[in-house]
């Protein structure tokens, strides 16, 4: 039990109550529970959908450190995310667009964050450039 509670603490969920129903949790909290379950695993593939939802910026930095830890243990981490701090840290970006909803669904860019800054012609690239002045 202690090991699992420590994992919950590492992903920033120490405020949850034991026995708290999943239906009371936000999508971001559920993603972090998934992350906590996989912290000790090696060689797996983990898919997270918007794990920064509802997080304070300082908590996002903690989450990014956990992502590094998971990858350094030989895992593959696929993150669907709009947060620019997460995008900046990615090894590889697949940008889907050109817009949202019915105006999206096409791969509009693939590459590293540095390549996106240099040659990306997407809304995400524009936002990343604005967040990373040279």
């Amino acid at each position: 039990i202690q090991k699992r509670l420590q994992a919950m603490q590492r992903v920033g969920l120490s405020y949850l109550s034991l026995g708290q129903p999943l239906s009371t949790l936000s999508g971001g909290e559920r993603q972090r529970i998934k992350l906590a379950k996989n912290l000790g695993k090696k060689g797996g593939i983990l898919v997270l959908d918007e794990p920064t939802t509802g997080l304070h910026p300082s908590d996002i930095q903690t989450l990014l450190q956990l992502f590094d830890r998971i990858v350094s243990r030989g895992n593959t981490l696929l993150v669907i995310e709009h947060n620019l701090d997460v995008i900046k840290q990615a090894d590889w970006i697949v940008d889907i667009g050109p817009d949202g909803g019915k105006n999206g669904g096409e791969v509009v860019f693939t590459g590293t964050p540095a390549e996106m800054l240099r040659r990306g012609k997407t809304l995400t690239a524009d936002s990343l450039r604005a967040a990373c002045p040279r």
Side-chain angles (χ1 to χ4, degrees):
I1 292 174
Q2 185 176 4
K3 184 178 177 182
R4 291 192 178 171
L5 291 175
Q6 286 173 337
M8 296 291 283
Q9 201 170 26
R10 281 191 200 107
V11 298
L13 296 173
S14 58
Y15 59 87
L16 295 180
S17 301
L18 290 176
Q20 185 171 341
L22 283 176
S23 61
T24 65
L25 303 179
S26 71
E29 288 169 329
R30 284 182 289 222
Q31 291 295 306
R32 286 182 279 146
I33 287 174
K34 184 178 181 180
L35 186 61
K37 285 175 54 179
N38 288 281
L39 276 180
K41 294 185 178 176
K42 294 181 182 182
I45 298 172
L46 181 60
V47 179
L48 298 174
D49 184 9
E50 301 281 351
T52 64
T53 301
L55 287 182
H56 185 274
S58 64
D59 293 326
I60 292 172
Q61 293 307 312
T62 300
L63 192 63
L64 291 173
Q65 292 169 358
L66 289 169
F67 288 172
D68 282 341
R69 181 175 170 192
I70 288 169
V71 171
S72 71
R73 294 179 63 93
N75 296 293
T76 298
L77 185 58
L78 195 127
V79 182
I80 301 153
E81 185 62 74
H82 291 91
N83 182 286
L84 294 175
D85 289 328
V86 175
I87 294 170
K88 287 188 285 188
Q89 184 172 312
D91 292 328
W92 194 257
I93 298 169
V94 177
D95 194 2
I96 308 292
D99 209 343
K102 68 178 182 170
N103 297 320
E106 296 177 34
V107 175
V108 294
F109 174 85
T110 63
T112 66
E115 290 169 338
M116 179 173 259
L117 285 170
R118 275 195 314 275
R119 63 178 176 81
K121 292 177 176 44
T122 69
L123 295 173
T124 304
D126 293 344
S127 296
L128 196 59
R129 277 188 213 94
C132 301
R134 294 180 187 187

